[in-house]
Amino acid sequence: MSGQNVNTPPSLYPVPEAFAAQAYIGSRQAYDQLCAEAQKDHESYWARLAREFLSWKQPFTKVLDSSNAPFYKWFDDGLINASYNCLDRNVEAGLGDKVAIIFEADDGKVTRYTYKELLEKVSRLANALKAQGVKKGDRVVLYLPMSVEGVVAMQACARIGATHSVVFGGFSAQSLRDRIEDAGAVLVITADEQLRGGKALPLKAIVDEALAMGGCESIRQVIVFQRTGGNIQMQAGRDVWLHDVLAQQSAECPPEFVSAEHPLFLLYTSGSTGKPKGVQHSTGGYLLHAALTTKWTFDLKPDDVFWCTADIGWVTGHTYVAYGPLALGGTQIVFEGVPTYPDASRFWRMIESHQVTIFYTAPTAIRALIKAAETNEAVHPRKFNLTSLRLLGTVGEPINPAAWEWYHREIGGGRCPIVDTFWQTETGGHMITPLPGAHALKPGSCTLPFPGIDAAVVDEAGKEVPWGQGGVLVVRKPWPSMIRTIWGDPERFKKSYYPADFGGQYYLAGDGAIRDAETGYFTITGRIDDVLNVSGHRMGTMEIESALVSHPLVAEAAVVGRPDDLTGEAICAFVVLKRPRPTGDEAKQLANELRNHVAQEIGPIAKPKDIRFGDNLPKTRSGKIMRRLLRVIAKGEDVTQDTSTLENPAILDQLAQSN
Ligand code: WTA
């Protein structure tokens, strides 16, 4: 059957016939049918898939419980274990000797782990956690490099019903401390150091610093994975080596079956206000969507070699590294390093050497590698044999059509569909994405909602707007992998995602969107709140402002985003000091000092690219900072808007010249 829609407008890239012929969802009609099934009976549709995709210890009898909306529950009385679904059942199905993970270290060393080996590693660590007194429902913070140990630690927590909270290894001691305290974690698993781009970077030392700050008294133990053998301090009574605790443990650990609603993990992400929020995910509903989207969006087949380049510190590394591919018994790459080391051909070299078939990365990485290839022929993808690839994907931020075209042509050889997957930490898995055998593609568009996801573009009143007109992206019906609450702050959950302005009925994604007038395809137009997206990393402007004003010299700060060719958005900070406005070399030196301060407070990813000093900030007479004007100045454009409500219009010129 051809997946090509006869009505495909010429501007679209049709589904390659060969791809459609072998795809799980191989035509637009097949997609439409699934959507119709979900439309007819939302609950039965999801229940069918939950039975087909997951193995239950005790089947659920109730599908969706809306009695305490928006705190929805899915499959609540079903008993399940995520680690059993990702490991044991694959071994039981005869996949014990199949390679689950091909690990490539920063220095290029490759290690393979079969499902059987992974199950043993996970069971040993699960037993070790139990021996340290970790119980079902306890929170365990993971501060680890991109590693097999990281995946194993997540699975080991899941195995005993502990809730993991991974903190990205690039976050500072302060950020780590805040997350440990908020989660009330009992144990931290970390490594001595992490290796990235040939450099050893501290992890354990940062844990020490975080725990010394106070507020982390709930922590009883720190387990340390020896990655580099670097020199670190071990605190007697608190710190233990991973290899020591594993040595005493059996390689068998019966999984703890939990309610489908049991929190599998917390993952902190940025919102509109200063404090990061602990997004809480369930076990059953989350795992269902992880498995389902891995199968349908990536068309993952038993002999595929899947590679998602995301770090386990982000949600993409949760759903499409730690859970989705394993739940399906797939083979995947886990890569410790960075795309530019030893040079910018690392990805292409690895695709060739591991015969990768499905490749999933972020637009920022693609843009950086385009730039590198343009200036250095030796790292150009055409130097490598990439013919093993059959599908490409992107995630995390909008992809500009030029980068899309390059990715399609140079990496996909013109034959691989690209799935531009729109989703969020809160949604657990793909929300709007092409199914590669079903949808003709439009560069820059994430095309259509995943079957069963009722996404719509609405106006402020919650009314759907016509195609071709921009609005706010919402999801009208609950779905299994949705965020359950913000850890410890249910009110904030309600206010952030089900605000009264939209009748309290719809999940508010926080993004703007527009549907193509002809095809109905969705294009995401960017965040509608104070969240920036820098290189696909979410940063709250208020978080960065708080970090800046915590510096003793800073009186006031306002942070906005501006477009950046490479990173999508760049952070631009406007700062008023408690001393006269610096200029020249002094301004440069102070800007650097503030950047380092932000890195200390949050992490290097939050460092502002531009810092502009002013005597003041543009404010209304009531004292509100006019961020709209700051965004114009940040872009280097002239302010043409009405500034008559400004208290101090002269400040605009000063800030415009301050770069
Ligand atoms: C943005 C990452 C355009 C969006 C999985 C969203 C995207 C935020 C896309 C979530 C895409 C993610 N096209 N924008 N394909 N995917 N975004 O929580 O603004 O780190 O709200 O989850 O990234 O970022 P998060």
Side-chain angles (χ1 to χ4, degrees), residues 9-291:
S11 58
L12 300 188
Y13 286 76
V15 178
E17 298 234 0
F19 194 96
Q22 60 76 58
Y24 288 121
I25 314 296
S27 67
R28 178 62 191 259
Q29 291 88 317
Y31 165 81
D32 288 340
Q33 244 168 35
L34 288 166
C35 294
E37 183 192 341
Q39 176 71 24
K40 191 159 153 265
D41 189 340
H42 193 64
E43 288 187 36
S44 301
Y45 167 82
W46 285 113
R48 171 175 78 78
L49 295 168
R51 290 187 189 105
E52 278 177 30
F53 276 77
L54 301 178
S55 303
W56 298 84
K57 176 73 174 173
Q58 176 187 298
F60 53 88
T61 59
K62 186 156 177 53
V63 182
L64 171 65
D65 178 353
S66 306
S67 60
N68 188 26
F71 299 92
Y72 297 101
K73 291 180 178 173
W74 286 88
F75 321 120
D76 191 22
D77 64 351
L79 287 182
I80 192 162
N81 180 279
S83 154
Y84 175 83
N85 272 270
C86 293
L87 301 170
D88 309 57
R89 73 164 172 171
N90 290 321
V91 173
E92 287 163 18
L95 300 180
D97 293 326
K98 181 173 177 177
V99 173
I101 294 180
I102 303 169
F103 175 72
E104 182 163 321
D106 191 56
D107 65 5
K109 183 164 182 281
V110 175
T111 320
R112 292 181 166 73
Y113 299 83
T114 65
Y115 272 93
K116 204 165 136 258
E117 287 166 339
L118 208 56
L119 174 58
E120 284 178 12
K121 277 176 88 77
V122 168
S123 300
R124 260 185 225 284
L125 180 54
N127 282 327
L129 291 174
K130 283 203 286 194
Q132 304 291 348
V134 178
K135 303 219 157 38
K136 175 180 165 190
D138 283 347
R139 276 80 56 213
V140 174
V141 162
L142 311 182
Y143 189 62
L144 283 163
M146 185 58 183
S147 54
V148 173
E149 285 68 19
V151 175
V152 166
M154 293 162 85
Q155 288 281 343
C157 289
R159 195 160 189 88
I160 62 169
T163 300
H164 59 71
S165 184
V166 185
V167 178
F168 175 61
F171 278 118
S172 68
Q174 180 69 48
S175 294
L176 177 62
R177 191 218 75 92
D178 294 349
R179 285 157 174 78
I180 290 172
E181 183 185 43
D182 191 83
V186 300
L187 190 140
V188 178
I189 307 181
T190 189
D192 49 359
E193 294 176 310
Q194 57 182 332
L195 274 179
R196 287 169 69 80
K199 284 199 267 305
L201 304 165
L203 285 174
K204 172 62 166 59
I206 294 175
V207 172
D208 292 342
E209 196 186 331
L211 297 184
M213 285 173 173
C216 302
E217 289 70 30
S218 56
I219 294 292
R220 300 192 296 256
Q221 205 95 51
V222 178
I223 298 182
V224 186
F225 159 47
Q226 191 167 41
R227 174 63 190 98
T228 62
N231 190 16
I232 56 161
Q233 304 291 321
M234 294 291 275
Q235 185 178 310
R238 186 193 72 184
D239 304 345
V240 287
W241 287 107
L242 179 68
H243 51 259
D244 286 342
V245 293
L246 291 184
Q248 307 144 19
Q249 298 302 331
S250 137
E252 262 174 62
C253 173
E256 170 92 28
F257 290 93
V258 295
S259 152
E261 278 300 315
H262 184 72
L264 179 62
F265 66 88
L266 310 180
L267 184 57
Y268 285 81
T269 190
S270 297
S272 299
T273 61
K275 201 171 160 246
K277 40 196 182 187
V279 172
Q280 179 181 322
H281 276 289
S282 70
T283 302
Y286 169 80
L287 194 64
L288 168 59
H289 208 55

Side-chain angles (χ1 to χ4, degrees), residues 365-630:
I366 299 167
R367 287 191 294 264
L369 297 175
I370 293 175
K371 208 171 150 195
E374 276 170 356
T375 50
N376 179 4
E377 180 63 20
V379 301
H380 198 285
R382 73 166 76 95
K383 295 273 175 198
F384 301 86
N385 182 347
L386 306 180
T387 51
S388 59
L389 287 170
R390 63 183 199 92
L391 179 65
L392 303 173
T394 68
V395 58
E397 49 177 330
I399 179 159
N400 46 310
W404 193 101
E405 306 267 0
W406 186 91
Y407 194 35
H408 188 258
R409 188 180 64 242
E410 303 292 342
I411 309 305
R415 94 196 154 267
C416 303
I418 298 177
V419 288
D420 174 352
T421 60
F422 167 82
W423 59 295
Q424 308 173 302
T425 304
E426 294 88 340
T427 70
H430 301 152
M431 297 303 276
I432 308 180
T433 175
L435 299 186
H439 298 317
L441 303 174
K442 183 184 168 194
S445 164
C446 49
T447 74
L448 294 171
F450 193 86
I453 300 299
D454 188 16
V457 182
V458 302
D459 62 18
E460 297 288 300
K463 196 168 154 287
E464 193 162 5
V465 299
W467 291 5
Q469 197 176 307
V472 167
L473 183 67
V474 295
V475 185
R476 292 180 293 201
K477 288 185 194 142
W479 69 100
S481 67
M482 63 192 297
I483 172 176
R484 291 307 193 263
T485 187
I486 293 174
W487 180 256
D489 201 348
E491 268 316 299
R492 188 172 172 202
F493 164 76
K494 254 167 100 164
K495 258 179 45 199
S496 309
Y497 303 108
Y498 286 89
D501 344 5
F502 295 89
Q505 300 293 309
Y506 296 163
Y507 169 83
L508 185 70
D511 281 289
I514 183 166
R515 300 189 67 168
D516 185 82
E518 216 179 325
T519 56
Y521 279 10
F522 288 71
T523 293
I524 306 300
T525 52
R527 299 288 306 192
I528 53 170
D529 52 11
D530 295 320
V531 171
L532 305 181
N533 192 326
V534 182
S535 299
H537 298 150
R538 256 169 87 165
M539 308 286 344
T541 53
M542 284 181 51
E543 252 176 289
I544 307 169
E545 287 166 9
S546 309
L548 285 166
V549 296
S550 74
H551 189 281
L553 284 181
V554 176
E556 207 176 7
V559 167
V560 298
R562 66 160 172 81
D564 183 277
D565 284 347
L566 218 53
T567 56
E569 265 186 306
I571 302 168
C572 182
F574 293 87
V575 175
V576 182
L577 296 181
K578 291 175 186 160
R579 56 155 94 154
R581 182 171 68 97
T583 52
D585 281 349
E586 194 201 357
K588 274 200 198 108
Q589 186 231 319
L590 277 169
N592 268 336
E593 185 173 330
L594 292 183
R595 277 190 197 99
N596 292 335
H597 179 70
V598 172
Q600 275 287 319
E601 289 290 305
I602 305 176
I605 51 173
K607 276 187 184 181
K609 185 154 186 183
D610 308 340
I611 293 188
R612 294 174 179 238
F613 294 101
D615 291 327
N616 208 331
L617 296 172
K619 289 185 189 151
T620 60
R621 292 200 173 84
S622 58
K624 203 170 163 286
I625 298 171
M626 301 274 285
R627 287 163 196 283
R628 172 167 70 75
L629 301 178
L630 291 178

Side-chain angles (χ1 to χ4, degrees), residues 574 581 587 611-614 633 652-659:
F574 293 87
R581 182 171 68 97
I611 293 188
R612 294 174 179 238
F613 294 101
I633 296 174
L652 296 177
D653 279 340
Q654 186 189 74
L655 291 172
Q657 284 156 22
S658 64
N659 208 12

